[in-house]
């Protein structure tokens, strides 16, 4: 069954947006990603970088909070290098013990170190969790997004804290998620604290959502 149809089937059985529905959807999407080859991921990353760089929210940004893709995630590394090559200040997350995120500047792939949970983190000075408030755009990891811009994350809660911090400070950077084409679905389960994104970038191109 195609990912899109499988996602909609799950949602039709439980439209309450309960965490159990999110967990089921995450398992489906992660299983589909596991079928991708390294070549698939590498080829898609180059296409994603080109599409993302044409998005005004990223093309005009002076500071971008991003992340280093790992495993079968839609690749961000080509995009990170392209942004840095343009003189954009790129901030990368550093996972704290309580699952909150600190930030440090991206200074190139040679300055990335292995961290917990299979992540890669920058080796530079920590700037504090509030550093994200300086970002003109925030690149969010995700597993799916729907027609209203609601994002399905991995469920760890780290980016919920980031988004809550932005809201509390009255900061409104552009929120962008990179996904594979089939991960743009009709609807994902949502809860009151969930934030819609402003745009999604897939290999097929970029799509903006109404604010």
């Amino acid at each position: 069954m195609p990912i899109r149809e499988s996602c909609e089937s799950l949602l039709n059985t439980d439209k309450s947006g309960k965490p159990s529905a999110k967990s089921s959807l995450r398992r489906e999407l992660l299983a589909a990603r596991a079928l991708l080859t390294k070549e698939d991921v590498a080829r898609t990353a180059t296409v994603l970088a080109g599409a993302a760089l044409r998005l005004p929210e990223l093309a005009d940004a002076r500071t971008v909070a991003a992340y280093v893709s790992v495993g079968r995630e839609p690749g961000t590394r080509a995009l990170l290098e392209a942004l840095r090559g343009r003189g954009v200040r790129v901030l990368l997350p550093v996972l704290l013990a309580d699952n909150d995120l600190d930030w440090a500047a991206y200074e190139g792939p040679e300055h990335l170190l292995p961290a917990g949970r299979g992540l890669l983190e920058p080796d530079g000075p920590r700037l504090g969790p509030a550093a994200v408030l300086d970002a003109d755009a925030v690149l969010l990891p995700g597993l799916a997004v729907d027609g209203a811009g609601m994002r399905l994350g991995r469920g760890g809660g780290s980016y919920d804290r980031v988004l809550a911090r932005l809201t509390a400070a009255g900061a409104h950077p552009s929120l962008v998620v990179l996904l594979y084409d089939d991960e743009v679905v009709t609807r994902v389960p949502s809860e009151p604290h969930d934030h819609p994104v402003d745009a999604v970038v897939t290999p097929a191109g970029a799509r903006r959502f109404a604010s």
Side-chain angles (χ1 to χ4, degrees):
M1 179 182 296
I3 298 173
R4 186 183 304 273
E5 293 179 12
S6 177
C7 292
E8 292 174 0
S9 175
L10 283 166
L11 291 168
N12 287 336
T13 60
D14 182 2
K15 295 187 177 182
S16 66
K18 294 187 293 186
S20 59
K22 286 187 175 182
S23 297
S24 297
L25 189 49
R26 287 186 183 106
R27 284 194 297 270
E28 286 285 329
L29 293 162
L30 288 170
R33 283 188 179 182
L35 299 176
L36 297 172
T37 66
K38 292 182 179 179
E39 291 74 20
D40 292 332
V41 176
R43 182 174 58 253
T44 302
T46 301
V47 177
L48 281 171
L53 290 170
R54 291 190 292 273
L55 192 68
E57 288 86 345
L58 292 178
D60 298 335
R62 294 167 297 176
T63 298
V64 174
Y67 63 94
V68 183
S69 58
V70 295
R72 300 299 193 272
E73 285 185 309
T76 65
R77 301 191 197 193
L79 177 57
L80 297 180
E81 278 296 281
L83 289 170
R84 191 169 74 98
R86 288 184 172 187
V88 176
R89 180 176 180 241
V90 179
L91 303 178
L92 295 180
V94 177
L95 186 64
L96 300 174
D98 64 355
N99 274 352
D100 204 349
L101 297 180
D102 201 335
W103 300 87
Y106 176 59
E107 300 293 349
E110 68 277 13
H111 291 282
L112 297 175
L113 299 175
R117 304 183 186 180
L119 301 175
L120 290 171
E121 296 178 345
D123 62 5
R126 303 313 189 230
L127 305 174
V132 71
L133 301 179
D134 294 331
D136 301 303
V138 177
L139 191 64
L140 301 168
L143 291 172
V145 69
D146 67 16
M150 299 307 298
R151 177 186 68 99
L152 180 69
R154 296 293 290 263
S158 297
Y159 279 89
D160 288 337
R161 296 191 185 193
V162 171
L163 294 172
R165 182 169 290 119
L166 292 168
T167 298
H172 302 286
S174 298
L175 305 179
V176 181
V177 60
L178 267 58
L179 296 173
Y180 297 110
D181 291 325
D182 283 347
E183 293 171 346
V184 180
V185 300
T186 301
R187 184 172 172 267
V188 300
S190 62
E191 299 174 79
H193 66 268
D194 290 332
H195 290 248
V197 298
D198 297 298
V200 59
V201 179
T202 72
R207 174 181 175 182
R208 288 189 181 83
F209 302 101
S211 58

